[in-house]
Amino acid sequence: MSTRRVCSVSATNRRCQISQSINQFWPLLGALTGEPLAELPYAERLVRLLSHRIGVWDVLGACVREGSLDSNIRHPQANDFVRLKALAPELQRVGFNGGTSGRFAQQFAAAGYETVVLPSSSPAHAARNFAQKLELWRALLSQSRP
């Protein structure tokens, strides 16, 4: 086990990018923005998201985890909220990709952000299909939450 950023093992091997073909993260964001994000190189994905005023930021700065499952995360440490505020001073709404990252929603809410805990894009979260997840992920862009 090691302390590292909170990416799956395969994503960690690719510089901590959520890039598994079975993970729905990029297809969900692509459907929200109308951009072919899953087909683009990582750096271009970020540029396209920013053009829609959407940023990607790891909620956890470090943790201990064996394997790729969020349920194996131990000793999570939140990322630097002060740095986030400095990097994105106009940020108002924060979406959390699943319940594990959603545990930090209260800290963001206390800092003045609107928070939306979304169903996980992970293939391990099979309780909802893509269309059901997408409907809930639309809360990121809407003025009122579902």
Side-chain angles (χ1 to χ4, degrees), residues 13-52:
N13 293 335
R14 287 187 295 278
R15 297 181 327 132
C16 201
Q17 302 164 16
I18 298 175
S19 58
Q20 297 175 8
S21 60
I22 56 174
N23 191 299
Q24 296 175 330
F25 182 78
W26 293 111
L28 284 165
L29 286 176
L32 289 176
T33 61
E35 299 278 359
L37 297 176
E39 302 166 18
L40 300 173
Y42 185 74
E44 181 62 23
R45 293 173 186 180
L46 298 180
V47 169
R48 298 274 182 104
L49 283 177
L50 286 174
S51 74
H52 292 276

Side-chain angles (χ1 to χ4, degrees), residues 50-139:
L50 286 174
S51 74
H52 292 276
R53 301 179 48 89
I54 297 172
V56 175
W57 188 74
D58 291 322
V59 172
L60 296 183
C63 74
V64 175
R65 176 168 66 176
E66 188 172 337
S68 299
L69 296 175
D70 284 353
S71 60
N72 290 338
I73 291 174
R74 303 290 180 262
H75 312 295
Q77 299 171 17
N79 219 330
D80 185 353
F81 292 98
V82 175
R83 183 167 181 254
L84 175 63
K85 193 98 167 156
L87 289 171
E90 295 181 35
L91 179 65
Q92 296 175 359
R93 181 177 297 136
V94 178
F96 297 88
N97 184 5
T100 300
S101 64
R103 289 185 226 160
F104 291 90
Q106 264 187 310
Q107 289 175 270
F108 279 82
Y113 297 108
E114 178 184 344
T115 61
V116 182
V117 179
L118 305 162
S120 176
S121 64
S122 167
H125 181 72
R128 292 187 172 96
N129 64 32
F130 182 86
Q132 292 167 326
K133 289 179 184 181
L134 179 58
E135 186 59 33
L136 294 169
W137 276 58
R138 290 192 192 286

